[in-house]
Amino acid sequence: MIIIKHTNELKPKELIEIFKQRVAVFVVEQNCPYQEVDTNDFGDLHVCLIENNTLKAYTRIIDKGNYITFGRVLVVKSYRKNGLGRQIVQATIDEIKKRFPTQPIQIQAQAYLQKFYESFGFKAISTIYLEDNIPHLDMLLETN
Protein backbone atom coordinates (compact mmCIF):
# COMPACT_ATOMS: atom_id res chain seq x y z
CA MET A 1 0.00 0.00 0.00
CA ILE A 2 1.28 3.48 -0.87
CA ILE A 3 0.80 6.12 1.82
CA ILE A 4 1.60 9.79 1.16
CA LYS A 5 1.76 12.28 4.01
CA HIS A 6 3.19 15.69 4.79
CA THR A 7 5.70 15.66 7.63
CA ASN A 8 3.19 17.18 10.06
CA GLU A 9 0.73 14.35 9.30
CA LEU A 10 3.20 11.61 10.24
CA LYS A 11 3.01 9.95 13.63
CA PRO A 12 6.28 10.10 15.60
CA LYS A 13 6.88 6.35 15.11
CA GLU A 14 6.37 6.69 11.32
CA LEU A 15 8.83 9.57 11.12
CA ILE A 16 11.43 7.74 13.21
CA GLU A 17 11.12 4.64 10.98
CA ILE A 18 11.59 6.78 7.87
CA PHE A 19 14.67 8.48 9.31
CA LYS A 20 16.05 5.14 10.55
CA GLN A 21 15.81 3.58 7.07
CA ARG A 22 17.20 6.67 5.34
CA VAL A 23 20.23 6.73 7.63
CA ALA A 24 20.70 2.96 7.19
CA VAL A 25 20.85 3.33 3.38
CA PHE A 26 22.36 6.74 2.71
CA VAL A 27 24.79 7.09 5.61
CA VAL A 28 25.68 3.57 6.77
CA GLU A 29 25.39 1.43 3.58
CA GLN A 30 26.87 4.08 1.31
CA ASN A 31 29.50 5.01 3.91
CA CYS A 32 28.65 8.66 3.39
CA PRO A 33 28.63 10.87 6.48
CA TYR A 34 26.41 13.87 5.73
CA GLN A 35 23.43 15.73 7.19
CA GLU A 36 20.80 13.18 6.18
CA VAL A 37 17.84 14.80 7.96
CA ASP A 38 17.61 18.36 6.66
CA THR A 39 15.37 21.42 6.55
CA ASN A 40 13.47 20.03 3.54
CA ASP A 41 12.01 17.44 5.92
CA PHE A 42 9.87 20.13 7.57
CA GLY A 43 7.69 20.70 4.51
CA ASP A 44 8.03 17.81 2.12
CA LEU A 45 5.74 14.93 1.20
CA HIS A 46 6.76 11.44 2.27
CA VAL A 47 5.83 8.57 -0.07
CA CYS A 48 5.89 5.25 1.74
CA LEU A 49 5.33 1.75 0.44
CA ILE A 50 4.08 -0.19 3.45
CA GLU A 51 3.17 -3.86 3.62
CA ASN A 52 2.25 -5.74 6.82
CA ASN A 53 2.86 -2.53 8.82
CA THR A 54 6.46 -2.49 7.57
CA LEU A 55 8.12 0.31 5.58
CA LYS A 56 9.61 -1.38 2.52
CA ALA A 57 10.31 1.56 0.17
CA TYR A 58 10.33 5.34 0.40
CA THR A 59 10.82 8.66 -1.41
CA ARG A 60 10.27 12.28 -0.52
CA ILE A 61 8.79 14.98 -2.76
CA ILE A 62 9.96 18.60 -2.52
CA ASP A 63 8.38 21.62 -4.21
CA LYS A 64 11.29 23.79 -5.42
CA GLY A 65 9.04 26.49 -6.87
CA ASN A 66 9.76 26.30 -10.59
CA TYR A 67 10.10 22.51 -10.53
CA ILE A 68 9.35 19.52 -8.31
CA THR A 69 12.01 17.12 -7.17
CA PHE A 70 12.06 13.84 -5.34
CA GLY A 71 14.86 12.01 -3.65
CA ARG A 72 15.97 9.77 -0.82
CA VAL A 73 14.66 6.94 -2.99
CA LEU A 74 15.21 3.72 -1.10
CA VAL A 75 14.14 0.13 -0.80
CA VAL A 76 14.89 -1.43 2.57
CA LYS A 77 17.78 -3.86 2.07
CA SER A 78 15.85 -7.05 2.93
CA TYR A 79 13.13 -6.22 0.34
CA ARG A 80 15.32 -5.42 -2.68
CA LYS A 81 15.19 -7.20 -6.06
CA ASN A 82 11.37 -7.44 -5.95
CA GLY A 83 10.44 -4.47 -8.15
CA LEU A 84 9.68 -2.18 -5.23
CA GLY A 85 12.06 0.53 -6.52
CA ARG A 86 10.09 0.77 -9.75
CA GLN A 87 6.82 0.73 -7.81
CA ILE A 88 7.79 3.54 -5.41
CA VAL A 89 9.24 5.73 -8.18
CA GLN A 90 6.13 5.30 -10.35
CA ALA A 91 3.87 6.12 -7.38
CA THR A 92 6.00 9.22 -6.69
CA ILE A 93 5.80 10.42 -10.31
CA ASP A 94 2.04 9.79 -10.35
CA GLU A 95 1.56 11.80 -7.16
CA ILE A 96 3.65 14.69 -8.47
CA LYS A 97 1.64 14.76 -11.72
CA LYS A 98 -1.59 14.78 -9.69
CA ARG A 99 -0.56 17.54 -7.26
CA PHE A 100 1.63 19.61 -9.60
CA PRO A 101 0.29 18.91 -13.12
CA THR A 102 2.15 21.76 -14.87
CA GLN A 103 5.50 21.43 -13.11
CA PRO A 104 8.50 19.58 -14.55
CA ILE A 105 10.23 17.00 -12.36
CA GLN A 106 13.99 17.42 -11.92
CA ILE A 107 16.08 15.00 -9.88
CA GLN A 108 19.68 14.42 -8.85
CA ALA A 109 20.12 10.76 -9.75
CA GLN A 110 23.00 8.55 -8.79
CA ALA A 111 24.81 7.96 -12.07
CA TYR A 112 24.54 4.16 -11.96
CA LEU A 113 20.72 4.56 -12.00
CA GLN A 114 20.59 6.67 -15.18
CA LYS A 115 19.01 3.93 -17.32
CA PHE A 116 16.51 3.12 -14.55
CA TYR A 117 15.28 6.73 -14.52
CA GLU A 118 15.36 6.93 -18.33
CA SER A 119 12.86 4.07 -18.33
CA PHE A 120 10.37 6.50 -16.72
CA GLY A 121 11.05 9.15 -19.37
CA PHE A 122 13.75 11.18 -17.60
CA LYS A 123 16.49 12.74 -19.72
CA ALA A 124 19.98 13.68 -18.52
CA ILE A 125 20.48 17.47 -18.39
CA SER A 126 23.96 17.56 -16.90
CA THR A 127 27.24 15.74 -17.00
CA ILE A 128 28.18 13.47 -14.13
CA TYR A 129 29.38 15.27 -11.00
CA LEU A 130 30.23 14.26 -7.44
CA GLU A 131 27.70 14.89 -4.68
CA ASP A 132 28.96 13.69 -1.29
CA ASN A 133 31.66 11.83 -3.24
CA ILE A 134 29.05 9.78 -5.15
CA PRO A 135 28.64 10.23 -8.95
CA HIS A 136 25.33 11.94 -9.79
CA LEU A 137 23.68 13.65 -12.74
CA ASP A 138 20.67 15.94 -13.07
CA MET A 139 17.70 14.51 -14.93
CA LEU A 140 14.45 16.07 -16.11
CA LEU A 141 10.97 14.73 -16.82
CA GLU A 142 8.58 17.10 -18.58
CA THR A 143 5.06 16.48 -17.28
CA ASN A 144 2.92 18.54 -19.66
Side-chain angles (χ1 to χ4, degrees):
M1 164 177 28
I2 299 288
I3 295 172
I4 301 162
K5 294 182 179 181
H6 281 280
T7 302
N8 61 0
E9 297 171 314
L10 290 167
K11 295 175 185 162
K13 284 184 179 180
E14 292 173 315
L15 191 58
I16 289 168
E17 183 62 22
I18 287 167
F19 289 159
K20 178 179 128 186
Q21 295 303 336
R22 283 177 23 187
V23 168
V25 171
F26 300 114
V27 178
V28 178
E29 273 186 47
Q30 295 183 356
N31 193 26
C32 184
Y34 75 106
Q35 186 62 50
E36 205 296 313
V37 178
D38 59 28
T39 56
N40 289 314
D41 285 308
F42 287 109
D44 58 5
L45 283 167
H46 301 270
V47 182
C48 304
L49 191 156
I50 297 175
E51 294 176 352
N52 301 320
N53 294 318
T54 301
L55 178 68
K56 293 189 173 182
Y58 169 87
T59 67
R60 70 175 182 178
I61 299 171
I62 303 168
D63 182 350
K64 293 290 199 175
N66 59 340
Y67 67 93
I68 306 302
T69 190
F70 66 88
R72 303 299 201 266
V73 178
L74 71 85
V75 174
V76 175
K77 192 172 190 172
S78 56
Y79 301 108
R80 293 182 189 157
K81 304 294 184 195
N82 294 307
L84 299 182
R86 179 160 294 283
Q87 192 176 338
I88 195 76
V89 168
Q90 188 62 63
T92 301
I93 292 168
D94 292 347
E95 189 66 21
I96 291 170
K97 287 180 176 181
K98 185 172 91 179
R99 290 183 188 237
F100 310 96
T102 62
Q103 296 280 62
I105 304 170
Q106 184 174 321
I107 61 171
Q108 291 179 292
Q110 290 190 11
Y112 82 96
L113 292 169
Q114 181 175 353
K115 290 198 183 316
F116 173 75
Y117 287 111
E118 286 174 344
S119 74
F120 293 97
F122 283 90
K123 295 184 178 5
I125 58 169
S126 77
T127 57
I128 295 174
Y129 58 88
L130 290 179
E131 176 85 17
D132 295 316
N133 219 26
I134 297 172
H136 283 75
L137 72 159
D138 296 337
M139 299 189 81
L140 181 70
L141 177 64
E142 295 290 346
T143 57
N144 48 9

